C-alpha cells in the first residue's frame, strides 16, 4: 500500500511543510509544490515530478531535505530520497490504472534526459525562469509553444532589450519540448551563426546540405534576428527556410531586440511574415522580479559550487535596487559580491555589498555624467548646454542652471566644486544656494515638482 493512501499527509508532505519554512515562496512553488510522494519502501522515499527539468529538485534542495528529515525525526524512516518523472497517463486509461504502479515505475531521470541537449544551456529552463509582470506574457507564450510546437503560435516572435531573458526563454522551449519526450528535432541557432554557416556552405558549394539541415527540423529557434536585417542574401535564404518550415507546420521561434515593424532594414515580406503568429515583448523586470531572479541565480550557483556563500533576500534586494539596467549585469554583480566576501571571509551583508560594488556602481553612475543631465535640462528649457555653462546670469538661464545643478547633486552625488566647475566656474557657495533654492521652490511649485520628477525619471 502506498503510504499516501493510508495517511492524510504523506511523509513527503510533512517534509515539504518543514522545508517551506526556510525556502523563498517562489522557489518553493516552482520546485517543490509540483512534487508528489510515490512510495516509501525500505528507507527509500520515492517522489515524482511532472517535468524532467524538475528532477534536479533532490540535488538543489539536498541540505534542506536532510535538515527537515532530521528535524522531524524521520532519520530512521527515510534514508534516501529518489526522484522519478511522473508517468503521463492518457486520460482514458485513468480508470484502468493499477492501484499499485510498482512494475510500471516511471523512468528515472537519466533515461529521460538521454536526448541531445546540443547547444542548449542546461540552466536556461522554465523552472529557472522567474516570472513577473514584465515577462509574464512572453513566458506563457513560450510555454504554450513548447507544449504544442507548430500548433499554437507560429511563428512566436519574442523581442526585448539586452538581458531581458529572450535567449533563456528560447532555450527553455528547447528543453521543455525535448523533456516532453517527443522525437522532435530541435535546432537552436543565433542569426549570426546561421549567417556564418551559410557563408561557409556557400564557399564549399554545399548549400544543399545546409538547406537540408535547416529544413528538416521540427522546431527552429533563431536568436537575435536583427543581425540579418541588413544582409540581403542571408535574408533571402532565411525567408525560404522559414516558409518551408512554416508551410510544413513546423515551429519557428524568433527573437529580436525590437519588434518586427522596427526592423526597418528587413524586407517587408519578412516583417509581415514575422507578424503572422504571436509577438510578445519582454520588458525590464521590476524590483521584485529582479530580486527573485537574483535569489534563483544564487541558489543555482550554490548547486554548481556548494561552497558558494548564501545570499539573503535583503542583500539581493539591495543589489537589485542598485542595478536596474539588465539582468546579466545584475548577475555579474552578485557573483562578484559573493566572491569578494568569500575571499575576505566577510558575511554577505549590505555593507559588504556596498564596498564590493563601489567600482561597479560608480561605473554605472559615470555613464550618467553631468553632461547628460545638463543636456536633458537644457532641452526641456529650450536652451543649449553651452548656455548653462556660461557666466550669463539672465533669469531665463539662471533658473534652468539651478535645476541642472540640483539634479546633478541628486542623481550623481557629485561634489560641490565639481558641479561649480562644470556650470561656468561658479563658487561652490553658489551651488549650495542654487540647490537650496530649487529644493524650497519644489515644495510650493507643482510645475517645477513635475518637471523635476519627469527629468529624473528620464535620466535614471
Ligand atoms: P537576452 O537574450 O534577452 O539578452 P538572456 O536570456 O541572455 O537575455 O538573459 C541574460 C541573463 O539573465 C541570463 O543569465 C538569464 O538566465 C537571466 N535572466 C533574464 N531574465 C530572467 C528571468 N526572468 N528569470 C531568470 N533569469 C533571467
Ligand atoms: Mg540573447
Amino acid at each position: 500500500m502506498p503510504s499516501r493512501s493510508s495517511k492524510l499527509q504523506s511523509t513527503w508532505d510533512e517534509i515539504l511543510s518543514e522545508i517551506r519554512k526556510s525556502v523563498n515562496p517562489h522557489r518553493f512553488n516552482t520546485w517543490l509544490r509540483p512534487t508528489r510522494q510515490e512510495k516509501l519502501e525500505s528507507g527509500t522515499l520515492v517522489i515524482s515530478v511532472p517535468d524532467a527539468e524538475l528532477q534536479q529538485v533532490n540535488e538543489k534542495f539536498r541540505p534542506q531535505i536532510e535538515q527537515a528529515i532530521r528535524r522531524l525525526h524521520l532519520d530512521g524512516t527515510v534514508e534516501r530520497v529518489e526522484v522519478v518523472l511522473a508517468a503521463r497517463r492518457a486520460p482514458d486509461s485513468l480508470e484502468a490504472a493499477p492501484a499499485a504502479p510498482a512494475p510500471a515505475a516511471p523512468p528515472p531521470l537519466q533515461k529521460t534526459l538521454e536526448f541531445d541537449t546540443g547547444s542548449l544551456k542546461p540552466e536556461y529552463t522554465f523552472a529557472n525562469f522567474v516570472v513577473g509582470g514584465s515577462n509574464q506574457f512572453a513566458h506563457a507564450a513560450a510555454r504554450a509553444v513548447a507544449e504544442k510546437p507548430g500548433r499554437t503560435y507560429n511563428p512566436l516572435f519574442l523581442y526585448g532589450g539586452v538581458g531581458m531573458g529572450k535567449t533563456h526563454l528560447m532555450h527553455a522551449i528547447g528543453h521543455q519540448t525535448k523533456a516532453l519526450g517527443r522525437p522532435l528535432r530541435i535546432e537552436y541557432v543565433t542569426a549570426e551563426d546561421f549567417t556564418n554557416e551559410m557563408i561557409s556552405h556557400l564557399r564549399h558549394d554545399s548549400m544543399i546540405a545546409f538547406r537540408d539541415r535547416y529544413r528538416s527540423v521540427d522546431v527552429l529557434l533563431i536568436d537575435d534576428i536583427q543581425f540579418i536585417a541588413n544582409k540581403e542574401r542571408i535574408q533571402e535564404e532565411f525567408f525560404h527556410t522559414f516558409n518551408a518550415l512554416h508551410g510544413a507546420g513546423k515551429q519557428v521561434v524568433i527573437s529580436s531586440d525590437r519588434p518586427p515593424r522596427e526592423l526597418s532594414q528587413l524586407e517587408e515580406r519578412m516583417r509581415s511574415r514575422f507578424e503572422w503568429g504571436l509577438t510578445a515583448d519582454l520588458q525590464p523586470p521590476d524590483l521584485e522580479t529582479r530580486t527573485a531572479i537574483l535569489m534563483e541565480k544564487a541558489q543555482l550557483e550554490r548547486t554548481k559550487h556548494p561552497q558558494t556563500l548564501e545570499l539573503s533576500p535583503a542583500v539581493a534586494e539591495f543589489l537589485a535596487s542598485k542595478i536596474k539596467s539588465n539582468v546579466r549585469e545584475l548577475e555579474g554583480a552578485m557573483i562578484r559580491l559573493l566572491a569578494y566576501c568569500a575571499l575576505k571571509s566577510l558575511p554577505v551583508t549590505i555593507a559588504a555589498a556596498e564596498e564590493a560594488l563601489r567600482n561597479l556602481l560608480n561605473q554605472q553612475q559615470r555613464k550618467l555624467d553631468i553632461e547628460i543631465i545638463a543636456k536633458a535640462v537644457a532641452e526641456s528649457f529650450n536652451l543649449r548646454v553651452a548656455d548653462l555653462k556660461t557666466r550669463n546670469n539672465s533669469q531665463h538661464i539662471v533658473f534652468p542652471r539651478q535645476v541642472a545643478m540640483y539634479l546633478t547633486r541628486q542623481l550623481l552625488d557629485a561634489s560641490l566644486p565639481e558641479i561649480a566647475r562644470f556650470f561656468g566656474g561658479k563658487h561652490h557657495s553658489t551651488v549650495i544656494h542654487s540647490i537650496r533654492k530649487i529644493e524650497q521652490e519644489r515644495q510650493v511649485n507643482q510645475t517645477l515638482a513635475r518637471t523635476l520628477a519627469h527629468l529624473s525619471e528620464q535620466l535614471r
Side-chain angles (χ1 to χ4, degrees), residues 310-356:
E310 202 141 358
L311 183 72
S312 72
V315 175
E317 192 184 290
F318 171 78
L319 288 183
S321 71
K322 290 288 174 191
I323 299 175
K324 303 168 193 159
S325 45
N326 89 56
V327 179
R328 205 169 298 142
E329 271 180 41
L330 194 54
E331 262 185 84
M334 176 201 71
I335 305 276
R336 188 151 146 175
L337 168 65
L338 295 181
Y340 178 86
C341 292
L343 283 173
K344 295 201 137 194
S345 307
L346 285 173
V348 189
T349 56
I350 292 181
E354 268 172 340
E355 194 179 318

Side-chain angles (χ1 to χ4, degrees), residues 237-302:
E237 189 60 37
F238 182 69
F239 184 70
H240 292 301
T241 306
F242 178 90
N243 286 341
L245 291 174
H246 195 270
K250 307 299 188 186
Q251 180 71 47
V252 181
V253 181
I254 302 159
S255 86
S256 160
D257 66 351
R258 59 205 105 152
R261 78 193 107 82
E262 283 173 29
L263 287 164
S264 53
Q265 283 166 301
L266 201 69
E267 279 181 58
E268 181 51 36
R269 54 177 187 167
M270 291 274 274
R271 237 180 296 158
S272 68
R273 227 144 269 221
F274 290 168
E275 285 172 340
W276 278 355
L278 182 74
T279 303
D281 68 332
L282 288 123
Q283 292 290 329
D286 56 20
L287 177 65
E288 202 189 344
T289 311
R290 290 199 302 278
T291 308
I293 293 176
L294 270 190
M295 295 298 290
E296 179 67 40
K297 295 284 174 188
Q299 190 62 34
L300 260 179
E301 205 45 38
R302 275 161 66 80

